[in-house]
Amino acid sequence: MAMASPQTPVTRPATVIILDFGAQYSQLIARRTREASVYSEILPHDTPWTAIAEREPAAIILTGGPESTLAPNAPGVDPEVWRSGIPILGICYGIQLIARDLGGELVRSTHSEYGPAHLERLGDSPLFAGIAQHTRVWMSHGDTVLAPPPGFTVYGRTAQCAVAAFGDPVRRLYGVQFHPEVVQTEAGTTVISNFLHGIAGIAPEWKMASFVESTVGQIREQVGNGHVICALSGGVDSAVAATLVSRAIGKQLTCVFVDTGLLRANEGQNVVAAFRDVLHLNVVKVDARERFLAALAGVIDPEQKRVRIGHEFIAVFEEEAAKLSDVEWLVQGTLYPDVIESKTPSSKAGHKIKSHHNVGGLPDVMALKLIEPLRLLFKDEVREVGRVLGLPDAIVERQPFPGPGLAVRVLGEVTAQRLDTLRAADLIVTSEIERAALETHPWQYFAVLTPLQSVGVMGDGRTYADLVAVRAITSEDGMTADWARLPYDLLARISTRIVNEVAGVNRVAYDVTTKPPATVEWE
Ligand code: XMP
């Protein structure tokens, strides 16, 4: 096995560079540009000009950020950015930076403006083409621009902010104090596409079909006659990554599917059937159920569970890889949000809430070269690639599922029997919710087996049995969530079926907690 892990080189379509000042919304800006069929990448704000220029950006967007441009050592950009002649859109902190660096005037506000505001357009700007004279925008800032730099014209104001938008059409430099990337800004999408298409003149050409085509070509070239291995989890990311690679190199790819025994009802058979029989991939199924149960025996602490499962997974995977000859490459379903390196003065290492386990730990141990065909994509884009590749809906629309599987949702000790109990309850929850065909389908829904027992009565007898919790949430991305307002009748059916059909359960609770402060999983 070779050392080092270079990543898949990627041919770049016309690219927008988003310089990140640590805004909550940086990823949203990238999504909006891609929705406008323009490819974008996020880089730290202080990326040296040479690294930016390498990507030959067709436009640059400066994000918002938590700092004040007036503070000493406030974050900025390489001055070459201003001299590059590339069209720039500054958003929030971005407009303030343009004002500060190019000779405008700023004032530090005594109070912040946060929330909806009414923008009144001033003058005539291509940035606001097709937008009403008065429109609702979303504000979230402390400092404000008092006067634009020389050469700039003010294009909009709100009650609190006299310079809410400005621009220099000659140099194609624009700024908005509001956030066009959030849905609360009525005409936000139009502002972004006006900038990209109208001002920067970028053709809307970023399409998934062309992404698939070019990626397949690159993988073929990169891998040559080499052998590639991929851990299939059943999740959408590894499924799409594997299918993409197999489209490129066919049987040179071997997928390993590890049955950990921590999967949901019928999941193992379904994954193997879909990939082996329908998509004709080389799939090796490893039955490692006993091993995982042994590794988890007596373990109650959720972090310990995750660690042990991660180690066991790597051990099983390595054994399988060793059985194949000449494996050089490993496919990983890494996504763009995992790749972005955000560098802001205020950025602190995030608190470790839980150690996520996918198959992310593999390359360190195995020293294979990496193929990460999805590393420039967001989750919904991965689903789109899956559709372009003809993957079945059951895989493409799959709910997120923790890497360590049901071990996360069996609170307390994980045993074969408790896993069976949870699987039976979970099947009732998922099938009833899916059968109900709700107008608003929850984003994620599942059962949790708690470590609690309580007294109940069944027939004439007293029971002392398990409590199952039901969790159903609405969410955009799993980062924040609300509990789903499931109809009472549906909850009643779920509850009745669980207590009647699942041995050892005499009580069902519904989780009505948002995230934050709770998490989605119980763990
Ligand atoms: P939490 O519980 O952190 O979950 O609010 C947020 C989302 O992440 C999923 N989740 C995981 N996904 N590996 C994953 O790929 C993991 O280890 C993992 N743990 C939680 C969870 O189901 C929810 O959608």
Side-chain angles (χ1 to χ4, degrees), residues 306 354 356-358 400-404 443-444 478 515 519-521:
R306 281 180 177 268
K354 59 182 81 162
H356 274 211
H357 155 74
N358 295 314
F401 186 58
W443 195 76
Q444 198 176 0
K515 172 185 179 176
T519 53
V520 175
E521 302 290 342

Side-chain angles (χ1 to χ4, degrees), residues 84-415:
S84 66
I86 294 170
I88 297 176
L89 174 66
I91 295 173
C92 194
Y93 187 90
I95 189 177
Q96 295 169 17
L97 197 70
I98 295 174
R100 190 198 72 178
D101 285 9
L102 301 185
E105 255 181 78
L106 284 153
V107 65
R108 189 170 275 194
S109 301
T110 45
H111 58 275
S112 310
E113 186 184 16
Y114 184 82
H118 283 275
L119 178 81
E120 182 191 352
R121 286 183 56 182
L122 301 171
D124 194 18
S125 160
L127 192 63
F128 292 156
I131 292 172
Q133 198 59 27
H134 294 265
T135 178
R136 193 186 64 231
V137 295
W138 187 261
M139 290 289 205
S140 172
H141 65 112
D143 302 344
T144 343
V145 178
L146 263 190
F152 280 71
T153 308
V154 179
Y155 290 127
R157 67 176 169 216
T158 67
Q160 302 272 351
C161 180
V163 183
F166 64 35
D168 174 348
V170 176
R171 286 188 285 171
R172 296 186 297 174
L173 304 178
Y174 289 85
V176 288
Q177 185 56 68
F178 59 88
H179 289 272
E181 69 277 23
V182 304
V183 288
Q184 290 88 342
T185 294
E186 246 166 10
T189 316
T190 314
V191 172
I192 289 173
S193 68
N194 281 345
F195 172 69
L196 297 172
H197 308 312
I199 292 167
I202 307 170
E205 281 173 347
W206 163 254
K207 285 191 191 67
M208 277 311 157
S210 45
F211 168 83
V212 167
E213 211 176 291
S214 64
T215 309
V216 162
Q218 284 154 25
I219 295 171
R220 206 171 276 154
E221 196 173 305
Q222 182 182 19
V223 169
N225 296 322
H227 281 110
V228 183
I229 193 168
C230 176
L232 216 49
S233 70
V236 55
D237 305 340
S238 68
V240 172
T243 314
L244 203 48
V245 174
S246 112
R247 186 65 62 96
I249 54 157
K251 297 286 181 193
Q252 284 163 253
L253 169 71
T254 303
C255 298
V256 177
F257 175 71
V258 180
D259 184 353
T260 57
L262 305 170
L263 302 167
R264 291 166 290 188
N266 310 323
E267 204 163 8
Q269 297 95 293
N270 290 347
V271 169
V272 173
F275 286 91
R276 190 183 281 166
D277 307 335
V278 181
L279 297 163
H280 307 294
L281 265 61
N282 249 343
V283 182
V284 176
K285 185 179 181 209
V286 188
D287 182 353
R289 288 176 294 180
E290 294 294 327
R291 280 176 77 154
F292 278 85
L293 274 181
L296 289 168
V299 181
I300 289 175
D301 175 59
E303 272 301 300
Q304 261 304 312
K305 286 183 189 170
R306 281 180 177 268
V307 168
R308 294 212 184 183
I309 292 168
H311 287 163
E312 203 57 36
F313 194 92
I314 291 168
V316 172
F317 194 76
E318 273 193 304
E319 286 169 24
E320 288 309 312
K323 290 182 196 163
L324 303 166
S325 56
D326 309 332
V327 178
E328 272 180 77
W329 301 88
L330 173 74
V331 182
Q332 295 239 90
T334 317
L335 302 193
Y336 196 46
D338 309 323
V339 173
I340 299 170
E341 178 206 359
S342 184
K343 197 164 148 202
T344 63
S346 63
S347 78
K348 301 175 186 74
H351 287 263
K352 179 170 157 189
I353 309 288
K354 59 182 81 162
S355 48
H356 274 211
H357 155 74
N358 295 314
V359 282
L362 287 174
D364 293 350
V365 182
M366 302 192 60
L368 292 168
K369 290 183 279 188
L370 273 188
I371 304 177
E372 296 180 304
L374 311 178
R375 67 193 306 278
L376 298 177
L377 303 183
F378 289 105
K379 189 83 174 185
D380 49 347
E381 294 175 324
V382 171
R383 292 190 208 279
E384 215 181 314
V385 172
R387 278 182 219 110
V388 169
L389 289 168
L391 286 175
D393 273 0
I395 292 177
V396 173
E397 303 301 338
R398 201 167 179 271
Q399 292 185 46
F401 186 58
L406 295 183
V408 162
R409 295 178 185 167
V410 169
L411 280 76
E413 193 182 358
V414 180
T415 63

